[in-house]
Amino acid sequence: MAAARGRCELVTITTTPLAAAYAFCFLIMTSLLCYVAEGTPAWFWGGGGDDPYCLTWRVMVEANNAKGWRAVPPQCVAYVATYMAWGQYHRDVAAVAGQAAAYATQINNNAPAADGLDAWVLDVDDTCLSNHPYYQAKQFGPYDPAAFKTWASRGVCPGIPAVQWLFQTLKGRGFRVFLVTGRDEDTLGPSTAANLLATGFSGYDRLIMRGAAQRGVSSVVFKSGVRKQLAEEEGYRIRGNVGDQWSDLQGCCVGDRVFKVPNPMYYVP
Amino acid sequence: MAAARGRCELVTITTTPLAAAYAFCFLIMTSLLCYVAEGTPAWFWGGGGDDPYCLTWRVMVEANNAKGWRAVPPQCVAYVATYMAWGQYHRDVAAVAGQAAAYATQINNNAPAADGLDAWVLDVDDTCLSNHPYYQAKQFGPYDPAAFKTWASRGVCPGIPAVQWLFQTLKGRGFRVFLVTGRDEDTLGPSTAANLLATGFSGYDRLIMRGAAQRGVSSVVFKSGVRKQLAEEEGYRIRGNVGDQWSDLQGCCVGDRVFKVPNPMYYVP
């Protein structure tokens, strides 16, 4: 980039108005072309996105090929910030919610069973509620438990519009909806419940949080246990399961179909 | 787009060389800006890729959120053609192969067990061998069994460079490598074996194809059966499993870790 910028520097020496006009034109056009080239948009270089490396990385995250990463790669912080804030993230979530709603329509010929046991499981963080403001402020850096707890305890996470819509759609069709989160119940229970209520997530069947007995247990193990209880002990048929982490969607009793909500901000093993 | 193009039409009336120079400059700059705006590159509109809709769709395919599609959406045919041919596809495959190789390095401290039972399973079509020329010629349209068989029987699929490299890397580290494909053994056995050999896939442990008994069986069922045989009957530990379809990577005995190679060209249930 520095080299490209270097090539674009111009020194113009003008003597007549005509020459000045042409020089001005050349200067502006060259600057514009340099700006375009430095942004390396996909159509210019022929890639599939605005930053080929970071797009590759993001797709690997979504397809669960990239695992165990502790922070957004430094060269992709600006890319992730743009992705989250400028529309593509919300388009992606809306498309996933649309797939989930279309699938829900097919279940039982658009009529959940009369026994009231057709259920969906939704994750909370960055599925129902957005932590984007927090992670943006932290520049998508590594997980900081204390700072995150302070943020979450404020109960001010925005709702994610497409999932708010999906939640209402599922409720409206008569599905039981369980919200399952690894958040600690003792410390974050009231703020999480209030945050959900304030963002329109009301009328769910149960908010299931991590209790004292599950502290330190991995997300897959904790959530598998919750789903096993719902499915095997309580008899619910988990028709769909929506989460932003693959650890929400793997392990026991994942449900008939899982939906991966995009999240390039952090990874939960 | 039509409206944008309309706004960009200019009629210039010039009388002096100086005015002509400025008008020329304005015309060129406006045309350039119109071209940029009509290409709607991601950095311009703030999205995450060159075509927001098709990028969303492609990521949904990779994350297994979009299922059962029979052909590339018509508005994304040009997008997929660009993605496949202009570099981003090969960057994506290379990144996935890199993850797989890095993971292989970790297994057993970089030394497969001496019993020779540490194994990898690789799919063939669009994992080892590319059908991109065929699908490009078909404009990424619906599956055409007869035409595909004619193409596959020619044995001229190019090898996919990053997977050729991964294959050699796995062999070089002492893993057993099994190639598992839903291709019909009777009709495509010799051409597939010759195609693999010609593209550098030699020294694999076994090429396992669909026999007469498995005709009409779904890919998940067929491949699960193969892996079950390898793992439970023959005692192999499937350390890694690489495929371009989620149906390669689900069902029984998928292996310790799965790797999804990108493929926005077609979907196999």
Short mmCIF file of all heavy atoms in Angstrom, two decimals, chain B residues 124-125 129 131 134-135 143-157 181-197 204 207-212 215:
data_model
loop_
_atom_site.label_atom_id
_atom_site.label_comp_id
_atom_site.label_asym_id
_atom_site.label_seq_id
_atom_site.Cartn_x
_atom_site.Cartn_y
_atom_site.Cartn_z
N VAL B 124 -13.65 -36.84 -3.78
CA VAL B 124 -12.97 -36.69 -5.07
C VAL B 124 -13.49 -35.45 -5.83
O VAL B 124 -12.73 -34.50 -6.05
CB VAL B 124 -13.11 -37.97 -5.93
CG1 VAL B 124 -12.55 -37.74 -7.34
CG2 VAL B 124 -12.38 -39.13 -5.26
N ASP B 125 -14.77 -35.44 -6.21
CA ASP B 125 -15.26 -34.35 -7.08
C ASP B 125 -15.25 -33.01 -6.37
O ASP B 125 -15.89 -32.83 -5.33
CB ASP B 125 -16.68 -34.67 -7.56
CG ASP B 125 -16.67 -35.66 -8.72
OD1 ASP B 125 -16.05 -35.34 -9.75
OD2 ASP B 125 -17.25 -36.75 -8.56
N LEU B 129 -10.42 -33.38 -7.54
CA LEU B 129 -10.54 -33.08 -8.98
C LEU B 129 -11.59 -32.00 -9.20
O LEU B 129 -12.67 -32.03 -8.59
CB LEU B 129 -10.95 -34.34 -9.75
CG LEU B 129 -10.02 -35.54 -9.67
CD1 LEU B 129 -10.61 -36.72 -10.46
CD2 LEU B 129 -8.62 -35.19 -10.19
N ASN B 131 -14.42 -29.99 -11.25
CA ASN B 131 -15.42 -30.02 -12.33
C ASN B 131 -15.78 -28.61 -12.79
O ASN B 131 -16.80 -28.42 -13.46
CB ASN B 131 -16.68 -30.75 -11.86
CG ASN B 131 -16.40 -32.21 -11.60
OD1 ASN B 131 -15.95 -32.93 -12.49
ND2 ASN B 131 -16.65 -32.65 -10.38
N TYR B 134 -16.59 -28.07 -16.51
CA TYR B 134 -17.90 -28.62 -16.88
C TYR B 134 -19.02 -27.70 -16.43
O TYR B 134 -19.91 -27.33 -17.20
CB TYR B 134 -18.06 -30.02 -16.27
CG TYR B 134 -19.47 -30.53 -16.34
CD1 TYR B 134 -19.97 -31.09 -17.51
CD2 TYR B 134 -20.32 -30.43 -15.25
CE1 TYR B 134 -21.28 -31.54 -17.59
CE2 TYR B 134 -21.62 -30.89 -15.31
CZ TYR B 134 -22.11 -31.44 -16.48
OH TYR B 134 -23.39 -31.87 -16.56
N TYR B 135 -19.00 -27.30 -15.15
CA TYR B 135 -20.11 -26.48 -14.63
C TYR B 135 -20.10 -25.08 -15.22
O TYR B 135 -21.15 -24.47 -15.41
CB TYR B 135 -20.09 -26.45 -13.09
CG TYR B 135 -20.66 -27.72 -12.52
CD1 TYR B 135 -19.85 -28.77 -12.12
CD2 TYR B 135 -22.03 -27.89 -12.42
CE1 TYR B 135 -20.39 -29.94 -11.63
CE2 TYR B 135 -22.59 -29.07 -11.93
CZ TYR B 135 -21.76 -30.09 -11.54
OH TYR B 135 -22.30 -31.27 -11.07
N TYR B 143 -28.22 -30.15 -12.08
CA TYR B 143 -27.50 -31.39 -12.30
C TYR B 143 -28.09 -32.12 -13.50
O TYR B 143 -29.31 -32.26 -13.64
CB TYR B 143 -27.62 -32.27 -11.05
CG TYR B 143 -26.87 -33.57 -11.13
CD1 TYR B 143 -25.52 -33.61 -11.46
CD2 TYR B 143 -27.52 -34.77 -10.85
CE1 TYR B 143 -24.85 -34.82 -11.52
CE2 TYR B 143 -26.84 -35.98 -10.90
CZ TYR B 143 -25.50 -36.00 -11.24
OH TYR B 143 -24.82 -37.20 -11.30
N ASP B 144 -27.19 -32.58 -14.36
CA ASP B 144 -27.58 -33.28 -15.58
C ASP B 144 -26.78 -34.58 -15.59
O ASP B 144 -25.63 -34.62 -16.02
CB ASP B 144 -27.22 -32.39 -16.78
CG ASP B 144 -27.51 -33.05 -18.11
OD1 ASP B 144 -27.68 -34.28 -18.16
OD2 ASP B 144 -27.54 -32.33 -19.13
N PRO B 145 -27.38 -35.68 -15.07
CA PRO B 145 -26.60 -36.91 -14.84
C PRO B 145 -25.89 -37.41 -16.09
O PRO B 145 -24.71 -37.79 -16.02
CB PRO B 145 -27.67 -37.91 -14.38
CG PRO B 145 -28.81 -37.09 -13.89
CD PRO B 145 -28.79 -35.82 -14.68
N ALA B 146 -26.57 -37.42 -17.23
CA ALA B 146 -25.96 -37.97 -18.44
C ALA B 146 -24.77 -37.12 -18.89
O ALA B 146 -23.70 -37.65 -19.20
CB ALA B 146 -27.01 -38.07 -19.55
N ALA B 147 -24.97 -35.81 -18.91
CA ALA B 147 -23.88 -34.92 -19.35
C ALA B 147 -22.70 -34.99 -18.38
O ALA B 147 -21.54 -35.00 -18.80
CB ALA B 147 -24.39 -33.49 -19.46
N PHE B 148 -23.00 -35.07 -17.09
CA PHE B 148 -21.91 -35.16 -16.12
C PHE B 148 -21.13 -36.45 -16.30
O PHE B 148 -19.90 -36.46 -16.23
CB PHE B 148 -22.42 -35.04 -14.68
CG PHE B 148 -21.29 -35.08 -13.69
CD1 PHE B 148 -20.52 -33.95 -13.47
CD2 PHE B 148 -20.94 -36.25 -13.04
CE1 PHE B 148 -19.43 -33.97 -12.61
CE2 PHE B 148 -19.86 -36.29 -12.17
CZ PHE B 148 -19.10 -35.15 -11.95
N LYS B 149 -21.85 -37.54 -16.56
CA LYS B 149 -21.16 -38.83 -16.75
C LYS B 149 -20.24 -38.78 -17.98
O LYS B 149 -19.11 -39.29 -17.95
CB LYS B 149 -22.20 -39.95 -16.88
CG LYS B 149 -21.59 -41.34 -16.88
CD LYS B 149 -22.61 -42.43 -16.59
CE LYS B 149 -22.82 -42.63 -15.11
NZ LYS B 149 -23.65 -43.79 -14.76
N THR B 150 -20.72 -38.14 -19.04
CA THR B 150 -19.90 -37.99 -20.24
C THR B 150 -18.62 -37.21 -19.91
O THR B 150 -17.51 -37.60 -20.30
CB THR B 150 -20.69 -37.26 -21.34
OG1 THR B 150 -21.87 -38.01 -21.61
CG2 THR B 150 -19.86 -37.10 -22.61
N TRP B 151 -18.80 -36.11 -19.18
CA TRP B 151 -17.64 -35.30 -18.77
C TRP B 151 -16.67 -36.11 -17.91
O TRP B 151 -15.46 -36.16 -18.18
CB TRP B 151 -18.13 -34.05 -18.02
CG TRP B 151 -17.14 -33.45 -17.06
CD1 TRP B 151 -17.14 -33.59 -15.70
CD2 TRP B 151 -16.00 -32.64 -17.39
NE1 TRP B 151 -16.09 -32.90 -15.16
CE2 TRP B 151 -15.36 -32.32 -16.16
CE3 TRP B 151 -15.46 -32.17 -18.58
CZ2 TRP B 151 -14.22 -31.53 -16.10
CZ3 TRP B 151 -14.31 -31.38 -18.51
CH2 TRP B 151 -13.69 -31.07 -17.29
N ALA B 152 -17.21 -36.79 -16.88
CA ALA B 152 -16.35 -37.51 -15.93
C ALA B 152 -15.64 -38.67 -16.61
O ALA B 152 -14.50 -39.00 -16.28
CB ALA B 152 -17.18 -38.01 -14.74
N SER B 153 -16.31 -39.27 -17.61
CA SER B 153 -15.69 -40.43 -18.26
C SER B 153 -14.51 -40.03 -19.15
O SER B 153 -13.70 -40.88 -19.52
CB SER B 153 -16.74 -41.17 -19.10
OG SER B 153 -17.15 -40.36 -20.18
N ARG B 154 -14.41 -38.75 -19.45
CA ARG B 154 -13.25 -38.30 -20.24
C ARG B 154 -11.97 -38.28 -19.41
O ARG B 154 -10.87 -38.28 -19.94
CB ARG B 154 -13.52 -36.91 -20.82
CG ARG B 154 -14.61 -36.92 -21.91
CD ARG B 154 -14.98 -35.50 -22.32
NE ARG B 154 -13.83 -34.74 -22.77
CZ ARG B 154 -13.74 -33.41 -22.76
NH1 ARG B 154 -14.76 -32.69 -22.31
NH2 ARG B 154 -12.66 -32.79 -23.19
N GLY B 155 -12.12 -38.21 -18.10
CA GLY B 155 -10.94 -38.26 -17.21
C GLY B 155 -10.02 -37.07 -17.35
O GLY B 155 -8.80 -37.20 -17.19
N VAL B 156 -10.59 -35.91 -17.63
CA VAL B 156 -9.75 -34.73 -17.86
C VAL B 156 -9.96 -33.64 -16.81
O VAL B 156 -9.55 -32.49 -17.02
CB VAL B 156 -10.01 -34.14 -19.26
CG1 VAL B 156 -9.55 -35.11 -20.34
CG2 VAL B 156 -11.48 -33.76 -19.44
N CYS B 157 -10.57 -33.99 -15.68
CA CYS B 157 -10.73 -32.98 -14.62
C CYS B 157 -9.35 -32.49 -14.16
O CYS B 157 -8.48 -33.32 -13.87
CB CYS B 157 -11.42 -33.57 -13.40
SG CYS B 157 -13.07 -34.20 -13.69
N THR B 181 -15.77 -41.58 -3.06
CA THR B 181 -16.57 -40.81 -4.02
C THR B 181 -17.88 -41.52 -4.35
O THR B 181 -17.93 -42.76 -4.42
CB THR B 181 -15.78 -40.57 -5.33
OG1 THR B 181 -16.66 -39.98 -6.29
CG2 THR B 181 -15.21 -41.87 -5.91
N GLY B 182 -18.89 -40.72 -4.57
CA GLY B 182 -20.19 -41.26 -4.98
C GLY B 182 -20.24 -41.63 -6.45
O GLY B 182 -21.27 -42.12 -6.93
N ARG B 183 -19.15 -41.44 -7.19
CA ARG B 183 -19.12 -41.84 -8.60
C ARG B 183 -19.35 -43.35 -8.73
O ARG B 183 -18.85 -44.12 -7.90
CB ARG B 183 -17.77 -41.48 -9.24
CG ARG B 183 -17.57 -40.01 -9.52
CD ARG B 183 -16.29 -39.83 -10.33
NE ARG B 183 -16.03 -38.42 -10.63
CZ ARG B 183 -15.14 -38.02 -11.54
NH1 ARG B 183 -14.44 -38.92 -12.24
NH2 ARG B 183 -14.96 -36.74 -11.77
N ASP B 184 -20.00 -43.74 -9.79
CA ASP B 184 -20.32 -45.14 -10.03
C ASP B 184 -19.06 -45.91 -10.46
O ASP B 184 -18.37 -45.52 -11.41
CB ASP B 184 -21.39 -45.23 -11.13
CG ASP B 184 -21.84 -46.65 -11.36
OD1 ASP B 184 -22.57 -47.19 -10.51
OD2 ASP B 184 -21.44 -47.22 -12.41
N GLU B 185 -18.80 -46.98 -9.75
CA GLU B 185 -17.56 -47.73 -9.99
C GLU B 185 -17.55 -48.41 -11.36
O GLU B 185 -16.53 -48.36 -12.06
CB GLU B 185 -17.37 -48.78 -8.88
CG GLU B 185 -16.02 -49.50 -8.96
CD GLU B 185 -15.62 -50.12 -7.64
OE1 GLU B 185 -16.52 -50.41 -6.81
OE2 GLU B 185 -14.41 -50.32 -7.43
N ASP B 186 -18.66 -49.02 -11.74
CA ASP B 186 -18.69 -49.78 -12.98
C ASP B 186 -18.41 -48.89 -14.19
O ASP B 186 -17.64 -49.26 -15.08
CB ASP B 186 -20.06 -50.45 -13.18
CG ASP B 186 -20.24 -51.63 -12.23
OD1 ASP B 186 -19.24 -52.02 -11.59
OD2 ASP B 186 -21.37 -52.13 -12.12
N THR B 187 -19.05 -47.74 -14.23
CA THR B 187 -18.95 -46.91 -15.44
C THR B 187 -17.82 -45.90 -15.37
O THR B 187 -17.29 -45.50 -16.41
CB THR B 187 -20.27 -46.15 -15.68
OG1 THR B 187 -20.64 -45.46 -14.47
CG2 THR B 187 -21.39 -47.12 -16.05
N LEU B 188 -17.45 -45.46 -14.16
CA LEU B 188 -16.45 -44.39 -14.07
C LEU B 188 -15.18 -44.81 -13.33
O LEU B 188 -14.29 -43.97 -13.11
CB LEU B 188 -17.07 -43.16 -13.38
CG LEU B 188 -18.19 -42.46 -14.16
CD1 LEU B 188 -18.80 -41.34 -13.31
CD2 LEU B 188 -17.67 -41.88 -15.48
N GLY B 189 -15.09 -46.09 -12.98
CA GLY B 189 -13.91 -46.54 -12.24
C GLY B 189 -12.59 -46.26 -12.95
O GLY B 189 -11.73 -45.56 -12.41
N PRO B 190 -12.42 -46.80 -14.18
CA PRO B 190 -11.12 -46.61 -14.84
C PRO B 190 -10.80 -45.15 -15.14
O PRO B 190 -9.66 -44.70 -14.92
CB PRO B 190 -11.29 -47.42 -16.15
CG PRO B 190 -12.37 -48.41 -15.83
CD PRO B 190 -13.31 -47.71 -14.90
N SER B 191 -11.79 -44.39 -15.61
CA SER B 191 -11.49 -42.99 -15.95
C SER B 191 -11.16 -42.17 -14.71
O SER B 191 -10.29 -41.28 -14.75
CB SER B 191 -12.67 -42.35 -16.70
OG SER B 191 -13.83 -42.28 -15.88
N THR B 192 -11.83 -42.47 -13.60
CA THR B 192 -11.54 -41.73 -12.36
C THR B 192 -10.13 -42.06 -11.86
O THR B 192 -9.36 -41.15 -11.48
CB THR B 192 -12.59 -42.07 -11.28
OG1 THR B 192 -13.90 -41.75 -11.79
CG2 THR B 192 -12.35 -41.28 -10.01
N ALA B 193 -9.79 -43.34 -11.87
CA ALA B 193 -8.45 -43.74 -11.41
C ALA B 193 -7.38 -43.11 -12.30
O ALA B 193 -6.36 -42.61 -11.80
CB ALA B 193 -8.33 -45.26 -11.42
N ALA B 194 -7.63 -43.10 -13.61
CA ALA B 194 -6.64 -42.52 -14.53
C ALA B 194 -6.54 -41.02 -14.33
O ALA B 194 -5.44 -40.44 -14.35
CB ALA B 194 -7.04 -42.84 -15.98
N ASN B 195 -7.68 -40.37 -14.11
CA ASN B 195 -7.70 -38.92 -13.90
C ASN B 195 -6.92 -38.57 -12.63
O ASN B 195 -6.14 -37.61 -12.60
CB ASN B 195 -9.17 -38.47 -13.80
CG ASN B 195 -9.38 -36.99 -14.05
OD1 ASN B 195 -10.47 -36.56 -14.36
ND2 ASN B 195 -8.34 -36.17 -13.91
N LEU B 196 -7.13 -39.34 -11.58
CA LEU B 196 -6.41 -39.09 -10.32
C LEU B 196 -4.91 -39.26 -10.51
O LEU B 196 -4.11 -38.41 -10.07
CB LEU B 196 -6.92 -40.04 -9.22
CG LEU B 196 -8.32 -39.71 -8.66
CD1 LEU B 196 -8.89 -40.89 -7.88
CD2 LEU B 196 -8.26 -38.46 -7.78
N LEU B 197 -4.55 -40.34 -11.19
CA LEU B 197 -3.12 -40.61 -11.42
C LEU B 197 -2.48 -39.47 -12.22
O LEU B 197 -1.39 -38.99 -11.89
CB LEU B 197 -2.98 -41.94 -12.17
CG LEU B 197 -1.56 -42.49 -12.35
CD1 LEU B 197 -0.93 -42.78 -10.99
CD2 LEU B 197 -1.60 -43.76 -13.20
N TYR B 204 -2.41 -43.22 -2.86
CA TYR B 204 -3.48 -43.30 -1.85
C TYR B 204 -3.71 -44.78 -1.50
O TYR B 204 -3.31 -45.67 -2.25
CB TYR B 204 -4.78 -42.65 -2.36
CG TYR B 204 -5.25 -43.10 -3.72
CD1 TYR B 204 -5.91 -44.32 -3.89
CD2 TYR B 204 -5.03 -42.30 -4.84
CE1 TYR B 204 -6.34 -44.72 -5.14
CE2 TYR B 204 -5.45 -42.70 -6.10
CZ TYR B 204 -6.10 -43.92 -6.24
OH TYR B 204 -6.52 -44.32 -7.47
N LEU B 207 -9.21 -46.22 -3.42
CA LEU B 207 -10.25 -45.39 -4.03
C LEU B 207 -11.55 -46.16 -3.87
O LEU B 207 -11.71 -47.25 -4.43
CB LEU B 207 -9.94 -45.14 -5.51
CG LEU B 207 -11.06 -44.52 -6.35
CD1 LEU B 207 -11.42 -43.12 -5.84
CD2 LEU B 207 -10.63 -44.46 -7.83
N ILE B 208 -12.47 -45.59 -3.07
CA ILE B 208 -13.71 -46.32 -2.77
C ILE B 208 -14.86 -45.63 -3.49
O ILE B 208 -15.16 -44.46 -3.23
CB ILE B 208 -13.97 -46.35 -1.24
CG1 ILE B 208 -12.77 -46.99 -0.54
CG2 ILE B 208 -15.27 -47.11 -0.95
CD1 ILE B 208 -12.82 -46.90 0.98
N MET B 209 -15.46 -46.36 -4.43
CA MET B 209 -16.52 -45.80 -5.27
C MET B 209 -17.84 -46.49 -4.97
O MET B 209 -17.90 -47.52 -4.30
CB MET B 209 -16.13 -45.94 -6.74
CG MET B 209 -14.79 -45.30 -7.07
SD MET B 209 -14.37 -45.36 -8.84
CE MET B 209 -15.54 -44.20 -9.53
N ARG B 210 -18.87 -45.91 -5.50
CA ARG B 210 -20.22 -46.45 -5.30
C ARG B 210 -20.40 -47.71 -6.16
O ARG B 210 -20.27 -47.64 -7.39
CB ARG B 210 -21.22 -45.38 -5.72
CG ARG B 210 -22.65 -45.63 -5.32
CD ARG B 210 -23.57 -44.61 -5.97
NE ARG B 210 -23.46 -43.28 -5.39
CZ ARG B 210 -24.28 -42.82 -4.44
NH1 ARG B 210 -25.24 -43.59 -3.98
NH2 ARG B 210 -24.13 -41.60 -3.97
N GLY B 211 -20.67 -48.82 -5.50
CA GLY B 211 -20.87 -50.07 -6.24
C GLY B 211 -22.33 -50.24 -6.61
O GLY B 211 -23.19 -49.41 -6.26
N ALA B 212 -22.62 -51.33 -7.31
CA ALA B 212 -23.99 -51.59 -7.78
C ALA B 212 -24.96 -51.62 -6.61
O ALA B 212 -26.10 -51.14 -6.72
CB ALA B 212 -24.03 -52.91 -8.55
N ARG B 215 -26.28 -48.06 -5.47
CA ARG B 215 -26.91 -47.12 -6.41
C ARG B 215 -28.24 -46.61 -5.86
O ARG B 215 -29.03 -47.39 -5.33
CB ARG B 215 -27.14 -47.79 -7.76
CG ARG B 215 -25.91 -47.69 -8.64
CD ARG B 215 -26.13 -48.28 -10.03
NE ARG B 215 -24.82 -48.67 -10.57
CZ ARG B 215 -24.61 -49.71 -11.36
NH1 ARG B 215 -25.61 -50.48 -11.74
NH2 ARG B 215 -23.39 -49.97 -11.80
#
